[in-house]
Amino acid sequence: MKTERLLGIIMILLDRKQISASKLAEIFEVSVRTIYRDITSLSEAGVPVTAFPGVNGGIQILDNYKIDKHFFTSSDITSLLVALESLSTNVSPLQSNQTVEKIKTLVPAHLSEEIKLKTHQIAIDLTPWTSNQTLQPFLEIIKSAMDQQKLLRFDYADNQGKKTTRTVEPYRLVLKEISWYLQAYCLERNDFRTFKLSRINDLDALGEHFAPRPFQPAPLGKEPFYGKKWTTITLKVTHKIKDQLTDKFGQLNFFESQEVGKEIVEFPFMEDDFGYHLLMGFGNQCECIDPPHVRKELKNRFEELLAIYQT
């Protein structure tokens, strides 16, 4: 969000004194043009920011500048607090809490109660229903290694179960839905790779430092959703599954069924393992009505599953 980016720019300028627009663009993953628009916004808001051209130029802020509490509106500060407090369950709670307390010092006294009320109106809980006990220590090790630019070594199992040992330069942690990923430069593959934290074992931070490489964050998407052909199928589902489908795929076309407690839905389906596993995961709460070949394939897969438990 723009407000968080503006605050981030101010904090960086207060810490580094001078930095190039291209470096800021890299840090915040926006264009250089966007950074210059941000600098203009800061100047218009009364922040003494100056841009100097040339090889040794860059963006500076006056040495004696302090953030005016009136620079941020109550909505700005509320957005910052909600975002930071939602992250505290997934990153270091101590560090997040310290940051939250610093942000609260920006709150003018006459807006304190209003912002407290607004902050409590929205809660974002990113923690999964089931807990991975190794996740938090892994996050701390990786974050520390990124801060200190130290190599990491770990055992990794890919989605086919093949195990390898990797030594990497860590560059970025990404939370996608309920899963954490590490984007790093792999010394064994001599290329940037994305690693799912749940597939990492025996993570260790090495004493060896690395010189950062130019890093372009790769987009994280579920591979089954890209370059695949979608087929519209007809399902009969319970109200419980209706909620799950709506959560994952947005508003779908539901119709009343002759069976009590069930509805008919036109569903975008991918005819691969991912798609079939998704439907099978709904168990007896979901039935494929059409087309016949998808229904037949589901029947075959369920029979193969049943055969495992009959031996």
Side-chain angles (χ1 to χ4, degrees):
M1 296 173 65
K2 183 176 180 179
T3 300
E4 285 88 335
R5 192 170 65 247
L6 292 177
L7 178 61
I9 292 174
I10 292 175
M11 295 305 181
I12 289 173
L13 291 176
L14 288 173
D15 179 56
R16 302 193 187 185
K17 305 304 180 183
Q18 180 173 301
I19 189 172
S20 67
S22 59
K23 185 61 178 178
L24 285 174
E26 178 184 338
I27 292 172
F28 294 102
E29 299 177 18
V30 296
S31 67
V32 173
R33 180 176 296 181
T34 296
I35 292 297
Y36 279 120
R37 283 200 295 265
D38 289 343
I39 298 305
T40 299
S41 298
L42 290 173
S43 297
E44 291 175 348
V47 180
V49 179
T50 304
F52 295 94
V55 177
N56 297 320
I59 299 170
Q60 296 181 1
I61 193 169
L62 291 182
D63 290 340
N64 60 352
Y65 174 73
K66 294 183 179 180
I67 297 178
D68 187 346
K69 291 184 177 183
H70 300 285
F71 174 69
F72 296 100
T73 67
S74 61
S75 295
D76 293 337
I77 298 176
T78 299
S79 297
L80 289 169
L81 291 175
V82 169
L84 288 169
E85 289 177 353
S86 70
L87 288 175
S88 64
T89 56
N90 282 278
V91 298
S92 173
L94 177 61
Q95 183 178 13
S96 296
N97 291 338
Q98 290 174 344
T99 306
V100 167
E101 292 306 313
K102 290 178 182 179
I103 296 296
K104 287 181 178 179
T105 64
L106 302 175
V107 179
H110 68 285
L111 293 177
S112 178
E113 287 302 316
E114 176 188 348
I115 291 176
K116 182 178 179 181
L117 174 62
K118 288 183 176 180
T119 302
H120 290 161
Q121 288 175 341
I122 301 175
I124 303 174
D125 188 350
L126 299 175
T127 55
W129 291 106
T130 55
S131 173
N132 182 342
Q133 298 299 320
T134 63
L135 181 61
Q136 191 61 46
F138 276 14
L139 290 173
E140 295 296 336
I141 292 172
I142 294 171
K143 189 174 184 304
S144 176
M146 288 191 296
D147 290 341
Q148 300 177 46
Q149 297 176 357
K150 287 187 175 181
L151 295 176
L152 291 171
R153 179 173 294 154
F154 52 81
D155 293 334
Y156 191 73
D158 63 19
N159 58 6
Q160 302 298 319
K162 182 180 178 181
K163 296 181 179 180
T164 55
T165 298
R166 305 295 186 96
T167 303
V168 305
E169 302 171 356
Y171 286 93
R172 193 188 198 201
L173 279 168
V174 181
L175 177 62
K176 178 73 172 181
E177 291 190 339
I178 63 171
S179 300
W180 279 97
Y181 297 85
L182 168 65
Q183 293 184 325
Y185 186 88
C186 178
L187 299 185
E188 280 73 27
R189 299 294 185 267
N190 293 318
D191 199 2
F192 286 97
R193 290 288 189 270
T194 298
F195 303 95
K196 192 172 184 178
L197 261 61
S198 61
R199 296 176 183 161
I200 289 178
N201 284 301
D202 297 327
L203 176 66
D204 187 29
L206 306 180
E208 184 179 350
H209 292 265
F210 65 90
R213 306 168 190 266
F215 170 62
Q216 287 293 332
L220 256 186
K222 292 282 188 181
E223 289 185 6
F225 290 100
Y226 293 88
K228 298 285 186 177
K229 181 180 179 181
W230 294 79
T231 301
T232 300
I233 65 175
T234 304
L235 304 176
K236 184 189 296 183
V237 301
T238 64
H239 291 299
K240 180 180 179 179
I241 299 304
K242 177 181 178 179
D243 290 342
Q244 293 185 38
L245 292 177
T246 301
D247 287 342
K248 284 183 173 293
F249 298 95
Q251 294 300 319
L252 301 171
N253 294 321
F254 287 90
F255 306 95
E256 289 296 328
S257 169
Q258 293 181 352
E259 287 189 56
V260 178
K262 293 187 177 181
E263 294 188 47
I264 305 297
V265 60
E266 295 178 351
F267 179 71
F269 178 68
M270 290 174 294
E271 297 187 46
D272 59 7
D273 284 341
F274 179 86
Y276 282 108
H277 291 167
L278 176 67
L279 294 185
M280 292 175 70
F282 294 139
N284 62 1
Q285 304 290 313
C286 171
E287 177 188 357
C288 177
I289 299 175
D290 191 64
H293 74 276
V294 174
R295 181 181 175 91
K296 181 179 179 181
E297 177 63 21
L298 278 169
K299 181 174 180 293
N300 291 338
R301 289 177 180 242
F302 275 119
E303 288 176 346
E304 291 174 1
L305 178 62
L306 180 62
I308 296 175
Y309 293 94
Q310 289 179 333
T311 57

